[in-house]
Amino acid sequence: MKITVSDVTQADKPQWEALYQAYAAFYNMPMTRATLDIVWSWITDNNHPFYAFIAKNEKGDALGLAHCRAMPSPLRGAMVGFLDDLYVAPESRGTGCVQALYQALNAQGQRENWPFIRWITAEDNNRARASYGKIAQKTHWLTYQMAVE
């Protein structure tokens, strides 16, 4: 299967939406029209440092997506990359799609001069973690989240 990865465009919106809704369902996150519209505005706003990629097969069917952005690293005095979302449709896993998305993320990091791209995943997301372990190093950092009240 030939897989191509490109920036998400306006024409990709229906396929991107379907993938993003499936991604949210995977993590049991409710997805509303308002949330979809906000994320889409980040993708289409050229002044917003948010990058979206879509992987497709030779027929133009969307197989997966990735979203990343710049993130300040004060201790380094530099911007680094942060991968917010990476999703491959279940029927497209094992086809090379995730590797193609990794290549697009790496190329974006090179263009932006990021020294690395960081991300988090669920502890029990074993399939993804096995894939991540092939291309990245697991850090010793734990993630905490404080509710703002």
Side-chain angles (χ1 to χ4, degrees):
M1 173 186 304
K2 183 177 186 230
I3 298 169
T4 58
V5 176
S6 62
D7 292 338
V8 173
T9 67
Q10 188 67 40
D12 296 320
K13 187 176 183 182
Q15 292 191 90
W16 169 85
E17 247 182 48
L19 285 170
Y20 202 58
Q21 287 177 335
Y23 173 71
F26 176 81
Y27 279 113
N28 296 313
M29 289 292 296
M31 182 55 60
T32 66
R33 169 55 43 202
T35 299
L36 286 167
D37 289 346
I38 288 168
V39 176
W40 186 253
S41 76
W42 295 343
I43 292 169
T44 57
D45 178 359
N46 292 333
N47 296 317
H48 201 284
F50 188 81
Y51 308 97
F53 303 100
I54 193 163
K56 296 180 183 176
N57 64 18
E58 60 277 354
K59 295 186 286 184
D61 300 324
L63 311 174
L65 61 77
H67 299 148
C68 68
R69 61 187 159 89
M71 177 179 80
S73 179
L75 286 174
R76 289 171 186 79
M79 299 300 278
V80 300
F82 191 85
L83 172 62
D84 288 289
D85 309 307
L86 187 138
Y87 179 75
V88 173
E91 63 276 7
S92 299
R93 295 174 187 164
T95 64
C97 182
V98 75
Q99 289 81 5
L101 287 164
Y102 290 154
Q103 289 173 357
L105 291 165
N106 189 64
Q108 186 66 44
Q110 290 175 357
R111 285 190 293 276
E112 299 295 326
N113 293 313
W114 296 334
F116 57 81
I117 299 172
R118 178 176 288 159
W119 62 91
I120 60 174
T121 193
E123 190 172 350
D124 64 351
N125 192 352
N126 295 319
R127 182 170 183 140
R129 290 181 64 196
S131 177
Y132 298 155
K134 293 176 184 174
I135 57 118
Q137 291 180 321
K138 183 181 178 302
T139 70
H140 65 276
W141 300 105
L142 301 175
T143 302
Y144 291 84
Q145 182 168 296
M146 179 180 75
V148 178
E149 300 175 14

